[in-house]
Amino acid sequence: MKLNTTHLRYLTPEDWRVLTAVEQGSKNHEIVPTSLIIQLSHLRSGSGAHRSISTLAKANLIARVQNAKYDGYRLTYGGLDYLALHTHFQRKTLHSTGQCIGTGKESDIHIVLAPPSASSPSSSQTTIRKSHHQQQQCILKIHRLGRISFRTIKTNRDYLRHRTSASWMHMSRLSALKEHTFMTALHAAGFPVPTPLAWNRHTVVMSLVEGTPLYQIRHLEEHEVRRLYGELMAMIVRLAGVGLIHGDFNEFNIMIEERESSSSSLSKQSDHLPPDTEEPKQDDGRQDDTTTTITTTTAVTLHPILIDFPQMLSISHANASTYFDRDVDCIKRYFSRRFHFTSDDSGPFFKDVQTRMRTTKGVRRLDVEVEASGFSKKMAKELEKYMEDIDVDQTVSDVDSNLDDSGDSDSSDHGSPEIPSSHQVAVTHISEEKRSVSRHA
């Protein structure tokens, strides 16, 4: 299902009321009866409701189910997309949608434009009237759980209670809510993550990270490899130190951002004397014949940005040790394969993190804060059940094995190209699959 906004501007207020009525009816009905749609839309004229139903069906926002026992419609992913976008536009979170820059196994990534006030909360309301080129580029992530689900769980749907399509949309809502909640907590705690801007239904709006996915980097200097490896391992330990485990900490979920730092040095030299000759003191008030030189040195450093949080879990989870070790092994395996780097330190280990947390008083637990903010344990278990049933681990291992077959040959064929700068590579939040990205204006 691709995002198609062709009909978005042509929908009337009556159409939105009918579409919202279908969404409300989907909470208790797999197929919402037409009579219930008319009742929930609160339209005075029944003919007006039927006209809106026909318009929405032609736009593929709702669909009639064949061979149903009664006349009714179900909400499609396109209809859910329109409802989420309509809410974002009403709240001034988004101004316009752009090109799709990434399609993963369970989400779509789009470039969108947001009013300056949405991306920088401190700005005044007058900034909303700024011109088009001054508006901020952001990322719209649309969660689409269920896209690959039918490959592995055709016979394992007891927890869905025979509500296939509606359940996938409910899971997508939970996934988006979880990602926004964890991203907000991590950003407030000072972790290098995108800035969360808004959430509605199955969509999350976040800031655009101007960087390059780690898996696209072919060559780094040895000191850069060591420093980057150390930062990534320290990030895993730091996450566990606040009670969280990423669960999918690999090269596809790490963006590398370039930052320039400049340093200046001041030097003086006489215009008439050699550099190693001591300059005479000027006591008679005459002007000193010396030249002052300011040398500015610019250095580029690499900083990792972490993305993709729907699979994040607490260190209190029963399998927390397994997921922690898997995150560590993913980074070690990638650096060994791509950069031929192996650390002398065999850690970090999950038991060391647990020991540190037990002996340290006043530790901030983000997993507890997230649960208190609205993402309950019941929601987490429901989403975790879905993740287990679609066999996420097997999917990740398949992608990783494919990269093993092509990673070494790529590095040998291409030599040692330098890391592309942020203005040469378009920024993506593609966390699920390998994908080439082109420049976007």
Side-chain angles (χ1 to χ4, degrees), residues 376-392:
S376 62
K377 289 184 178 180
K378 181 180 178 181
M379 295 179 181
K381 290 181 179 179
E382 194 173 1
L383 188 59
E384 180 186 344
K385 174 66 176 175
Y386 168 83
M387 293 294 184
E388 292 177 355
D389 287 338
I390 66 171
D391 201 6
V392 173

Side-chain angles (χ1 to χ4, degrees), residues 123-137:
S123 59
S124 62
Q125 293 295 328
T126 57
T127 56
I128 299 179
R129 297 189 293 271
K130 287 188 177 182
S131 59
H132 175 81
H133 70 278
Q134 290 178 308
Q135 291 167 347
Q136 301 294 325
Q137 279 191 340

